[in-house]
Structures are given as C-alpha cells and as structure tokens.
Amino acid sequence: MPDQAPAPLVLIVEDDLHSCRIAVAALEHAGFRCQTAANAGEALTDLQRERPQVVLMDFNLPGLDGLQLTRWIKEDDLTRDIPVLAVTAYAMEGDADIARESGCAGYLAKPYDPADLVRETKRLLDATRPGT
C-alpha cells in the first residue's frame, strides 16, 4: 500500500483564542492539519520550521501587524508562493483591496461561516496545485 501524502498544512496566524479554535475545528474537520501562531514572531518561526500550504492571516496582531507580515511573506523567496487568506474583522469598504495590495490571495471578513473558511482555503490550495 503506497504512503499517503500528509494532509495539507494551514498556518493560522490569529491572536484571538476563540477565533483560532473555530478556524482549527473547521479546518481539521475538513481534513487539514493546522499550526497556530498568536503573533508575527511565532508565525515567522513556523514558516521557517515547517512550510504550510496556506496561511490564514488576521490583520490585528500584537507588534508586527498582519498586513506587514503578509508583505514580508510575499517578499521572501522561500515563502512568496504560499497563498495568504486575510481573515479579519476589518470589513470596511476598501479593506479587501488593501489586503490584495499587501499580497493576500483572498479575503474573508469576520464573523464568517466556517464553511466559507474551508471553501476559501480549499480554493487557494487548489490554485497552487499544478494543472489546476
């Protein structure tokens, strides 16, 4: 029996424990593996240690905010091809444009339906696979 590839890894960068738990529960139920980071420093360490297939990024983080962290991810040769999904309470007109300008491949406003989170994560993952 051939070895199965591990489930795709999603890095969830979220400082709110409740929001993080919702995301982890929805994604693990859908078959993803999850790694969590509560701030930019933890996220950078996780990005260097284990390469996720998708990053979910809250913008309101302590210290370096999610927009700045996304720009850093997109400027680094080792991480620039990892899609970033903005998952944020910033839901004013123009915030989705700001997210895209920072390098996000998708945008989901809080509060969200967990099914939408799973759908957007799968969409970003599928977009990075060859032949899709």
Side-chain angles (χ1 to χ4, degrees):
M1 175 186 254
D3 289 336
Q4 277 192 333
L9 178 64
V10 177
L11 174 59
I12 303 166
V13 186
E14 172 63 69
D15 65 327
D16 180 77
L17 186 57
H18 178 71
S19 295
C20 191
R21 285 181 177 160
I22 290 170
V24 168
L27 292 168
E28 286 183 345
H29 181 74
F32 291 95
R33 293 180 299 136
C34 296
Q35 177 73 32
T36 62
N39 58 53
E42 289 179 19
L44 292 172
T45 298
D46 290 341
L47 284 163
Q48 292 170 355
R49 186 176 11 160
E50 189 169 358
R51 186 176 166 81
Q53 281 73 45
V54 177
V55 174
L56 305 185
M57 182 71 69
D58 183 23
F59 285 169
N60 190 21
L61 297 172
L64 185 70
D65 70 34
L67 289 170
Q68 294 169 309
L69 179 55
T70 298
R71 287 185 200 104
W72 183 90
I73 290 169
K74 293 303 171 181
E75 291 171 0
D76 188 295
D77 289 339
L78 298 174
T79 56
R80 74 174 37 155
D81 62 331
I82 301 171
V84 177
L85 174 62
V87 182
T88 180
Y90 294 151
M92 300 297 291
E93 185 175 334
D95 286 341
D97 293 331
I98 291 168
R100 279 190 289 281
E101 289 166 8
S102 297
C104 293
Y107 174 88
L108 190 61
K110 294 178 187 174
Y112 55 81
D113 182 325
D116 291 336
L117 179 70
V118 170
R119 184 174 39 259
E120 277 298 295
T121 303
K122 286 180 179 180
R123 181 186 68 79
L124 293 180
L125 182 62
D126 289 345
T128 63
R129 290 186 176 145
T132 58

